[in-house]
Amino acid sequence: MNYSYWELKNWFTNVDFCIVGSGIVGLNTALQLRQRFPKSKILILEKGTLPQGASTKNAGFACFGSLSEIIDDLDHHSEQEVIDLVKKRWTGLQMLRNNLGDREIDFRSYGGYELFLQNDEETLSNCKAKLPEINELLHPVFKQDVFSIQKDTSSFGKIKETTIFNKLESQIDTGTMMQALLKLAVSKDILILNHQVVTDFHEFEKGVQVAINDHTFTVGKLLFATNGFAGKLTNDEVKPARAQVLITEPIPNLHIKGTYHLDKGFYYFRNIDNRILFGGARNLDFIGETTTEFGQTEIIQNNLERMLKEVILPRQDFKIAHRWSGIMGMGAQKNPIVKQLSEHVYCGVRLGGMGVAIGSIIGKELADLV
Ligand SMILES: Cc1cc2nc3c(=O)[nH]c(=O)nc-3n(C[C@H](O)[C@H](O)[C@H](O)COP(=O)(O)OP(=O)(O)OC[C@H]3O[C@@H](n4cnc5c(N)ncnc54)[C@H](O)[C@@H]3O)c2cc1C
């Protein structure tokens, strides 16, 4: 691209902070930097027309972990690590609400439910047995019991009668949340350029030379908020994880209200606009879903449709309106990677399936590294 003098001067010269990725982390990083450096030039580079990873693709669960997920986390992390993870998610959700306002993100506290398949006695028994212990463990964070047992799953099919209810789980409208963040960023004089792929960078004494499409320019600090696309940057400590989702047409008299976790969180669904949004089944093809390519596969889509018909809406006619996918960033550990990579280069990546909860906080932590 042969940029004009004006374009070069206003967009690509004297850039103090260049952020790669305009997802929830990139936008929060930029907003935090603006607070600390009111006069700085902040530029976000985004490869998609819209943020093209997970932040505009997700299910909008404002959650901090289902009971079976927290029990599973305790097998891989210490008790204190699990408490810290949950605390960070909870604090991050409060930060998101304070920054944008509940109306802007359409925050709704309908509660969350964990459902158990009829043939999964083991997970249910384990959850029931450990419920008091986990409520106790999380008491320092919530000062109250979070999980309780409920018995009414009559509208579902092939589901055990007992469910675990989380009264503190909520849902948001992902689209309005991201629009609110984008508008806030623009109002704070943060420049956002779309269709810009950062293809390379070279550090020098005073800054970083950044290569995008067919142009190269220099910036003071370079901050990567590229999550599922950060494999190369992190020596494969971040693995891409595609997640496929579908949504039904509006369903008259829909009885389902809340966020639902099913089969140890491998499936998740919620109500939105009288529809059911339903995703999951990555466990059917972990290898195939370890990809940065968007798309749907037969094995997962067929399974989602079957579960929708047999388990979620067994006595209801419905039509599938739309399907899509998003790319998450996963790894061996659930903790995000927020670190300085070299003198002028930083990253805040590997948000897993909890970016709605922790995205705001990770943006702040990334900005605070500078
Ligand atoms: C289907 C699905 C459902 C989910 N459901 C939930 C949920 O209910 N609750 C929850 O808390 N979390 C959920 N998540 C996870 C959550 O969406 C993510 O953790 C969060 O959005 C990550 O935000 P991010 O800003 O780190 O990454 P992203 O939103 O992926 O942003 C990274 C950005 O970097 C850009 N980028 C990458 N490489 C480059 C490059 N070289 N040059 C320029 N730009 C680049 C990408 O285009 C992208 O926009 C879900 C995710 C998916 C996919």
Side-chain angles (χ1 to χ4, degrees):
M1 168 68 77
N2 182 15
Y3 288 112
S4 72
Y5 168 71
W6 318 110
E7 288 164 342
L8 290 173
K9 186 171 82 166
N10 288 288
W11 275 271
F12 294 112
T13 305
N14 295 331
V15 175
D16 299 295
F17 304 107
C18 176
I19 296 157
V20 191
S22 69
I24 188 169
V25 173
L27 291 169
N28 273 289
T29 305
L31 287 165
Q32 292 291 337
L33 286 169
R34 171 57 73 228
Q35 263 185 30
R36 280 180 52 212
F37 305 99
K39 296 214 154 60
S40 61
K41 188 184 274 190
I42 304 174
L43 173 66
I44 301 183
L45 300 170
E46 166 56 52
K47 73 180 163 78
T49 305
L50 296 168
Q52 197 176 290
S55 295
T56 47
K57 314 281 190 193
N58 64 54
F61 283 37
C63 58
F64 47 84
S66 67
L67 182 57
S68 67
E69 193 178 358
I70 292 172
I71 292 170
D72 187 60
D73 284 349
L74 283 166
D75 287 341
H76 307 100
H77 299 77
S78 70
E79 279 194 359
Q80 193 53 50
E81 280 172 340
V82 171
I83 295 171
D84 291 346
L85 272 174
V86 171
K87 189 170 178 188
K88 185 173 258 185
R89 293 165 186 164
W90 183 243
T91 315
L93 282 170
Q94 309 320 310
M95 198 169 159
L96 175 75
R97 295 174 65 186
N98 287 337
N99 287 348
L100 299 178
D102 284 353
R103 229 176 42 179
E104 285 291 331
I105 63 177
D106 198 17
F107 183 85
R108 296 190 188 226
S109 333
Y110 294 148
Y113 301 81
E114 177 153 17
L115 306 180
F116 303 88
L117 289 171
Q118 203 56 268
N119 58 6
D120 191 10
E121 182 55 40
E122 192 187 335
T123 311
L124 175 59
S125 304
N126 198 22
C127 280
K128 276 184 1 195
K130 298 217 165 117
L131 186 144
E133 189 186 314
I134 302 293
N135 273 339
E136 185 67 31
L137 185 77
L138 298 182
H139 230 267
V141 181
F142 299 104
K143 316 280 183 261
Q144 58 182 312
D145 284 355
V146 174
F147 298 106
S148 58
I149 289 178
Q150 277 201 3
K151 288 199 178 199
D152 179 23
T153 56
S154 49
S155 57
F156 299 116
K158 299 185 175 179
I159 289 291
K160 286 197 174 291
E161 201 193 14
T162 305
T163 76
I164 307 287
F165 181 58
N166 175 347
K167 62 183 173 190
L168 298 178
E169 191 165 297
S170 305
Q171 52 178 262
I172 63 159
D173 180 320
T174 291
T176 59
M177 182 270 283
M178 282 302 288
Q179 277 195 337
L181 261 181
L182 282 161
K183 283 182 203 163
L184 190 60
V186 171
S187 78
K188 302 278 180 193
D189 200 18
I190 289 158
L191 303 170
I192 304 175
L193 291 180
N194 289 85
H195 294 290
Q196 302 302 322
V197 183
V198 171
T199 51
D200 206 357
F201 63 94
H202 291 287
E203 195 155 10
F204 60 100
E205 204 189 331
K206 293 212 168 106
V208 190
Q209 196 171 53
V210 180
I212 47 168
N213 304 1
D214 48 7
H215 182 60
T216 302
F217 63 108
T218 60
V219 304
K221 304 280 183 197
L222 182 63
L223 300 99
F224 284 90
T226 48
N227 198 36
F229 306 87
K232 198 168 149 205
L233 194 70
T234 59
N235 286 327
D236 280 339
E237 275 190 71
V238 181
K239 299 262 186 240
R242 183 170 63 193
Q244 302 183 33
V245 179
L246 56 77
I247 192 161
T248 65
E249 294 285 2
I251 297 168
N253 308 316
L254 183 69
H255 54 270
I256 295 168
K257 202 170 166 188
T259 43
Y260 290 79
H261 309 255
L262 172 63
D263 196 12
K264 295 178 227 117
F266 284 124
Y267 298 92
Y268 45 91
F269 61 96
R270 62 170 282 186
N271 65 301
I272 176 77
D273 302 334
N274 297 318
R275 304 164 187 257
I276 291 292
L277 184 157
F278 180 36
R282 287 183 55 244
N283 54 325
L284 298 185
D285 185 14
F286 275 131
I287 293 175
E289 296 303 298
T290 305
T291 174
T292 52
E293 298 293 317
F294 293 86
Q296 285 96 46
T297 60
E298 222 174 281
I299 177 174
I300 288 181
Q301 290 298 322
N302 286 347
N303 194 266
L304 289 177
E305 274 189 50
R306 185 181 61 77
M307 294 290 281
L308 195 54
K309 202 174 181 151
E310 294 177 3
V311 177
I312 302 168
L313 297 167
R315 285 170 283 283
Q316 201 129 26
D317 285 336
F318 64 85
K319 272 201 183 122
I320 293 168
H322 187 56
R323 305 167 199 264
W324 70 92
S325 69
I327 310 295
M328 300 182 286
M330 299 280 195
Q333 287 288 308
K334 288 221 168 158
N335 277 324
I337 302 172
V338 187
K339 69 176 181 192
Q340 183 164 6
L341 298 171
S342 56
E343 183 65 22
H344 303 295
V345 183
Y346 309 79
C347 77
V349 294
R350 196 169 71 186
L351 280 274
M354 290 281 172
V356 171
I358 55 173
S360 313
I361 256 188
I362 299 305
K364 177 163 173 30
E365 286 183 3
L366 177 56
D368 285 349
L369 290 178
V370 172

